[in-house]
Amino acid sequence: MKAAVFHKIGDISVDNVADPKIEQPDDIILRVTSTAICGSDLHIYDGFVPQLRDEVLGHEFMGIVEEVGPAVTKLKKGDRVVVPFTIACGQCFFCQQGYHPSCEHTNPEFYGPQGDLLKGKGGGMFGYTDMYGGYNGGQAEYVRVPHANVGPKIIPDGLDDDQVLFLTDIFPTGWSAVKWGKVKPGDSVVIFGSGPVGLMAQKAAWVNGAERVIAVDPLQYRRDKAQSVNNVEVLDSNDDDLREKIYSMTNGRGADVAIDAVGMEASRSFLEKAKAVFNAEKGTAKVIEMCTEAVRRNGIVSVVGVYASPYDNFPIHRIFDKGLTMQFGQAQTHVYIDQCFELVRSGKVTLNDIISHRLPLSKASEAYDMFKNKTDDCVKVVLKPGLDK
Ligand SMILES: NC(=O)c1ccc[n+]([C@@H]2O[C@H](COP(=O)([O-])OP(=O)(O)OC[C@H]3O[C@@H](n4cnc5c(N)ncnc54)[C@H](O)[C@@H]3O)[C@@H](O)[C@H]2O)c1
Ligand SMILES: [Zn+2]
Ligand SMILES: [Zn+2]
């Protein structure tokens, strides 16, 4: 089959690889009909999350069940499903509590309690390096889905792929960010990053009753997108008065909730980059710092942007002084997918309005380049293996 294979930093090509096979009795093989590129894929592409051998990438995908293992009870050949990006057994200590990204059974080699830089990681994820289980991903014609009785969700025919694809990851991720922030009617929410995840968090904030949603991004075209699809107020992260502007929009206090939907690859100046090299730091925790400034005292900072290394000079003093609560992590897709699906089905939320490019799978390499460099007003790319036929 054809698949988007990561070779080394900045090098992804569409290659012929072996077809996936049923390996465990509760596996399925899915024929992928749509798959997206995520900001999280860029961390591998850019070398911030290391991967030393070739791997098929892609953790946002949906398709048609092609083959089922003998222990699969919930699905049959021909079913159309979306698949959560974290791989979970559904049975262990963490899965039972809704913390599927910490599943104890899906990352045998690198799992552990420590959460160190290169070992003691969380549960498995599709197409997300050997450290997270070494599973091939879904930017491919076919993909093996383990624990198929747990993750995949059947989608009725009335909804097309573009309407539901983002239930795999980014909508439940935006939803998790807002739920972790305990957003309630009347709240003001400031969301850093108007990429796909930030846009989804904006939608989730409105649905949960936010009164004011303020989106911060350095790129004009992404701010325009946020305004046009989600009707939010926008600010430029490079504005010298950013902090004061946020305070003036929130009764001088700061927002009730601040969300980081950017992560460690946030844009930064040459000086900031030089400092990071000097401190042996990868990327920056600058957006978390900005969140701690933008949020009001005793507010909540919710972090779904990905971080993969430690940072010195972290503003622990401000977190203490302001009495902040913070929550970080991979989204609880398994927990929220039904609720998120219902919002789409009932028409309360539209997800496909963020798609800027629909391309054949064979264009994956160009698509990564465009999404990474933010050219051609790229916001979200959906790859469709069927367009190659
Ligand atoms: N926690 C999870 O489960 C989960 C799931 C999906 C994605 N993610 C992460 O969410 C983050 C965003 O993903 P995405 O797909 O939207 O990526 P993206 O790269 O398209 O979007 C990031 C956005 O942040 C903006 N940005 C850069 N520096 C900024 C700053 N200083 N202040 C405000 N905005 C800034 C960029 O211009 C861009 O629009 C990534 O780190 C990704 O890995 C996490
Ligand atoms: Zn993702
Ligand atoms: Zn588990």
Side-chain angles (χ1 to χ4, degrees):
M1 67 162 183
K2 297 245 184 275
V5 182
F6 170 84
H7 300 289
K8 58 180 191 302
I9 295 175
D11 181 3
I12 287 170
S13 58
V14 176
D15 300 347
N16 283 314
V17 301
D19 289 348
K21 291 196 169 46
I22 300 275
E23 293 175 19
Q24 297 293 328
D26 59 347
D27 287 352
I28 59 169
I29 303 297
L30 200 67
R31 176 169 62 80
V32 176
T33 53
S34 295
T35 175
I37 303 178
C38 181
S40 299
D41 293 323
L42 296 183
H43 304 319
I44 304 174
Y45 188 64
D46 294 341
F48 284 68
V49 174
Q51 170 65 1
L52 299 177
R53 72 175 176 101
D54 286 5
E55 186 183 28
V56 178
L57 297 190
H59 57 268
E60 301 183 359
F61 57 85
M62 63 180 296
I64 311 285
V65 177
E66 185 77 12
E67 203 183 330
V68 297
V72 175
T73 53
K74 298 224 171 123
L75 300 171
K76 58 180 188 319
K77 187 175 158 80
D79 282 343
R80 178 164 169 255
V81 295
V82 291
V83 181
F85 71 99
T86 51
I87 304 172
C89 77
Q91 308 291 326
C92 71
F93 175 84
F94 292 107
C95 284
Q96 289 287 314
Q97 298 184 61
Y99 298 119
H100 298 78
S102 297
C103 178
E104 294 177 309
H105 293 147
T106 54
N107 184 11
E109 206 175 325
F110 282 89
Y111 187 83
Q114 319 90 308
D116 285 342
L117 261 181
L118 297 171
K119 59 177 199 270
K121 309 305 272 186
M125 289 190 269
F126 290 99
Y128 217 72
T129 78
D130 287 342
M131 282 191 315
Y132 290 98
Y135 297 90
N136 276 331
Q139 287 164 6
E141 289 182 297
Y142 296 90
V143 60
R144 176 175 82 95
V145 177
H147 297 288
N149 292 321
V150 180
K153 178 170 178 62
I154 295 180
I155 300 296
D157 283 343
L159 293 160
D160 66 32
D161 277 23
D162 291 355
Q163 286 175 286
V164 294
L165 175 62
F166 302 142
L167 294 173
T168 59
D169 176 352
I170 55 172
F171 186 46
T173 297
W175 191 262
S176 295
V178 162
K179 286 295 174 192
W180 295 348
K182 299 189 166 51
V183 172
K184 56 183 187 314
D187 274 358
S188 52
V189 184
V190 59
I191 299 173
F192 289 86
S194 279
V197 172
L199 291 166
M200 293 291 148
Q202 293 160 20
K203 293 175 192 290
W206 285 136
V207 176
N208 282 277
E211 189 175 294
R212 244 177 142 158
V213 181
I214 304 164
V216 185
D217 199 288
L219 298 175
Q220 178 76 46
Y221 87 90
R222 295 239 167 154
R223 296 196 298 272
D224 291 346
K225 188 77 176 180
Q227 258 178 331
S228 69
V229 299
N230 291 334
N231 193 27
V232 293
E233 298 171 86
V234 293
L235 293 171
D236 181 349
S237 57
N238 291 322
D239 190 331
D240 288 338
D241 298 327
L242 176 66
R243 192 164 72 165
E244 280 63 36
K245 282 193 176 147
I246 293 170
Y247 294 156
S248 74
M249 292 160 89
T250 52
N251 301 317
R253 297 193 187 104
D256 297 301
V257 180
I259 291 172
D260 173 351
V262 181
M264 63 190 154
E265 294 195 62
S267 65
R268 52 208 185 279
S269 65
F270 177 75
L271 195 69
E272 288 169 314
K273 281 186 180 160
K275 217 173 74 191
V277 172
F278 186 73
N279 291 343
E281 290 170 350
K282 267 194 160 183
T284 174
K286 165 179 172 169
V287 171
I288 306 182
E289 295 183 30
M290 291 167 97
C291 285
T292 64
E293 293 184 336
V295 75
R296 68 160 164 78
R297 288 179 175 279
N298 309 101
I300 302 180
V301 175
S302 176
V303 180
V304 286
V306 166
Y307 292 88
S309 42
Y311 300 100
D312 233 343
N313 269 318
F314 192 70
I316 204 100
H317 67 295
R318 183 180 301 120
I319 298 166
F320 183 87
D321 183 71
K322 291 177 70 166
L324 302 182
T325 298
M326 302 182 80
Q327 182 158 352
F328 294 66
Q330 301 290 357
Q332 291 174 284
T333 312
H334 287 78
V335 171
Y336 291 128
I337 194 166
D338 287 341
Q339 195 178 4
C340 288
F341 169 78
E342 196 45 38
L343 289 164
V344 173
R345 195 203 53 78
S346 64
K348 289 207 179 74
V349 162
T350 303
L351 307 182
N352 55 1
D353 54 5
I354 74 156
I355 299 173
S356 57
H357 295 77
R358 294 172 183 81
L359 296 169
L361 175 67
S362 59
K363 293 277 182 232
S365 175
E366 294 88 337
Y368 266 91
D369 182 73
M370 178 174 64
F371 181 54
K372 180 202 154 45
N373 293 306
K374 275 94 180 155
T375 51
D376 200 29
D377 286 356
C378 183
V379 175
K380 187 75 174 175
V381 184
V382 178
L383 300 169
K384 304 208 180 241
L387 290 179
D388 280 309
K389 301 268 146 57

